[in-house]
Amino acid sequence: MVEGQDKYQEAYDILSMPRVQADHRSWNALGCCHYMLGREDEGIRWFRKADQDGNADARKNLEQLEEK
């Protein structure tokens, strides 16, 4: 694992628990973890889900990805 990815994996392990994943507040963070762990499509899916729920940070993440 690339240096620093272990922290994203650790966060993902917690955020992917069903009771946490069911909480809309975790969706943007789940997107970040997936994206940083190389699962870009899954990350974008979570960003979109969070954005549709009104998460401004998720919207910013999607906008930044569109600029690439």
Side-chain angles (χ1 to χ4, degrees), residues 26-38:
S26 70
W27 297 345
N28 183 60
L30 271 164
C32 291
C33 289
H34 278 291
Y35 198 85
M36 296 305 291
L37 290 168

Side-chain angles (χ1 to χ4, degrees), residues 3 12 17 26 31-32 36-37 44 48-49 56 59 67:
E3 185 177 331
Y12 173 77
M17 297 161 111
S26 70
C32 291
M36 296 305 291
L37 290 168
I44 291 169
R48 286 186 178 140
K49 185 172 178 156
R59 165 77 352 230
E67 292 174 3

Side-chain angles (χ1 to χ4, degrees), residues 35-52:
Y35 198 85
M36 296 305 291
L37 290 168
R39 299 185 293 255
E40 289 91 358
D41 290 342
E42 188 66 11
I44 291 169
R45 185 177 79 78
W46 283 104
F47 291 146
R48 286 186 178 140
K49 185 172 178 156
D51 177 44
Q52 290 172 351

Side-chain angles (χ1 to χ4, degrees), residues 1 19 25 32 39 44 54-55 58 64-65:
M1 193 171 284
R19 65 185 165 83
R25 296 172 296 177
C32 291
R39 299 185 293 255
I44 291 169
N55 185 304
Q64 287 178 342
L65 292 174

